[in-house]
Amino acid sequence: MSFANPWGLLALLAIPAIILIHMHHRRFPPLVVAGLHLWTSETRQHLAGRKRETLPITSSLLLELLAALLLSLVLSRPHLGNTTATVHLVAVLDDSASMQGKPPEGGASSFRDAAVAELERRVERLPRGSVVTLILSGQRPTMLAGPAVPWSEARKKLAMWRPQAPRHSFEPAWDLGLQLVEKSGDLLFLTDHLPPEQETPEKMECVSVGRRLDNLAI
């Protein structure tokens, strides 16, 4: 198990604090009297200050301890799984100029922006400590980020990506990605149009962020 926010475990300090409060809380036993007029200044007993008592196991105590435990888990955000199972994600980005286009229905986001958003969603699902390599397609593929760098570093390089290459073959970039993933990594191809399935490597996942256009008749 790993924790996305280990500092949230500090909330567990509330558990011993709750126990101490219940141990030092003064509890007066019920006393039945005939009338309040019997309580005169001569019969009153001035008790000493608070003292430690045996911890009473009450429903109030159990509920407070449970609430403190749940609050600590919420703040620390635990994740189940093997913390050592990191992943090397190799993403091949279509650097064609068409990636700067936008859907026919309009909007401010281009296909390039959609590809970046899809990549960010993929990285968020990766185990903690995973690394990323970004490759731009082209006649001569280039490495935008990497190899095998943290996402915080790759994100800075990704912000500077502006697709502008003419039509080209994707195979050189795919071959470079296959060399980097070897046996343990994941290979992802982001484009605005899917290439023929028979041409893509078996170990690579293709994701199209483009939009299908309706047929037009003139």
Side-chain angles (χ1 to χ4, degrees):
M1 177 183 292
S2 61
F3 298 93
N5 180 29
W7 290 103
L9 296 176
L10 291 177
L12 292 175
L13 296 176
I15 294 180
I18 294 172
I19 294 176
L20 289 175
I21 291 174
H22 279 259
M23 290 180 64
H24 290 82
H25 182 67
R26 180 187 294 178
R27 296 171 181 82
F28 296 99
L31 180 63
V32 180
V33 296
L36 292 177
H37 64 278
L38 299 177
W39 292 85
T40 62
S41 58
E42 291 79 9
T43 58
R44 289 199 186 112
Q45 295 182 359
H46 297 280
L47 300 178
R50 295 181 179 179
K51 62 180 180 179
R52 186 175 62 182
E53 300 179 359
T54 304
L55 181 65
I57 307 300
T58 62
S59 58
S60 174
L61 173 63
L62 296 178
L63 289 176
E64 291 178 21
L65 294 177
L66 179 61
L69 178 60
L70 292 177
L71 177 62
S72 175
L73 292 177
V74 170
L75 295 177
S76 60
R77 294 185 294 171
H79 295 278
L80 298 177
N82 187 4
T83 57
T84 60
T86 59
V87 176
H88 179 197
L89 175 62
V90 178
V92 178
L93 306 176
D94 185 354
D95 199 38
S96 303
S98 59
M99 290 289 288
Q100 293 281 25
K102 297 181 180 181
E105 61 270 16
S109 299
S110 62
F111 298 140
R112 177 261 179 202
D113 298 332
V116 171
E118 175 65 23
L119 184 58
E120 290 178 344
R121 287 192 292 267
R122 297 296 183 104
V123 173
E124 289 178 356
R125 297 196 295 263
L126 295 178
R128 188 177 182 181
S130 298
V131 291
V132 180
T133 299
L134 303 180
I135 300 175
L136 299 182
S137 65
Q139 296 298 336
R140 293 186 178 181
T142 58
M143 195 168 298
L144 180 64
V149 296
W151 172 241
S152 58
E153 180 179 342
R155 179 186 292 174
K156 298 178 182 178
K157 300 293 184 63
L158 187 61
M160 299 182 295
W161 174 44
R162 298 294 182 270
Q164 56 185 358
R167 185 178 181 87
H168 57 271
S169 174
F170 302 127
E171 293 183 359
W174 296 344
D175 293 339
L176 177 59
L178 289 173
Q179 296 175 13
L180 294 175
V181 296
E182 295 180 350
K183 297 181 180 180
S184 58
D186 294 337
L187 182 58
L188 175 68
F189 178 52
L190 295 171
T191 179
D192 60 339
H193 61 282
L194 291 176
E197 185 175 354
Q198 61 272 17
E199 297 180 3
T200 59
E202 295 182 359
K203 297 182 179 180
M204 184 179 69
E205 179 183 1
C206 296
V207 176
S208 174
V209 295
R211 298 290 188 274
R212 183 183 296 275
L213 296 177
D214 296 332
N215 292 330
L216 298 178
I218 301 177

